[in-house]
Amino acid sequence: PDLPWPHGFTLRGGGVSGGAYASLNLGLSSGDAPEAVEANRDRLLAALGYGRDDVCAFHQVHGRRVLDGTPGWFVEQADAATSATPGRLLVVSVADCLPLLFVDPVRGAVGAAHCGWRGTVQGLAGEVVRAMSQRYGSRPADLRVAIGPGIQGPCYQVGPGVRPQRVWSAAACTHCEPDRFYSHRRDAGVTGRHWAFIGVPRA
């Protein structure tokens, strides 16, 4: 995607989890062994050059709350966050829901959202755009957005305000590619979680 700052979407390979969670499961709520999940998380953060104190990660509740992305480790309840702090990494956890990453290269701000169908119906993507506008003066026309892997459907929309040519989609279906992706629906809930992440470059 045409996002100029550190970002990515994890696949399921490269971790230590076994069985249905093999191998880079990053979600504790999945039923996997906690020590394996924490080892996977630390492995990924080390590869990215971040520590846990740099991360804004939150307990996702399928709502529309957008945090001001201060450091946190899965405690606050929200489904999105924004930041303009150098060195901050925003993280969302998914296993079918769509991860959305936002960059405003003009104002130096980023956003990340976990968009399941409930969040989509509640306008979460638009809430992130509004939060970035209010907090950093972002203009929707300047934003670049990437939609990560998730269950695909013909009716999903990002919402008005962002230019279509600035939106990138992985167009990869988590349900159809078991070798690459976890899928909550395909695996009847016995599956891992991916992360989507984006960070503000260090000063």
Side-chain angles (χ1 to χ4, degrees), residues 135-197:
R135 294 170 183 170
Y136 320 113
S138 296
R139 295 172 52 239
D142 293 330
L143 296 181
R144 298 176 186 182
V145 181
I147 303 171
I151 279 189
Q152 298 295 304
C155 299
Y156 184 81
Q157 296 182 9
V158 174
V162 177
R163 294 178 179 172
Q165 62 268 31
R166 296 278 177 91
V167 177
W168 176 90
S169 175
C173 182
T174 52
H175 189 273
C176 297
E177 299 185 60
D179 291 341
R180 297 177 66 207
F181 302 114
Y182 299 114
S183 170
H184 188 270
R185 183 168 296 175
R186 180 193 64 229
D187 299 327
V190 183
T191 193
R193 300 293 185 274
H194 299 286
W195 276 6
F197 54 87

Side-chain angles (χ1 to χ4, degrees), residues 8 26 35 38 83 86 88 91 98 100 122 136 150 153 158 182 187:
L26 299 165
E35 61 273 15
E38 297 297 357
S83 182
R88 181 79 68 249
V91 166
L98 290 168
L100 272 63
Q122 296 177 59
Y136 320 113
V158 174
Y182 299 114
D187 299 327

Side-chain angles (χ1 to χ4, degrees), residues 24-39:
L24 190 66
N25 173 30
L26 299 165
L28 277 176
S29 65
S30 64
D32 194 4
E35 61 273 15
V37 174
E38 297 297 357

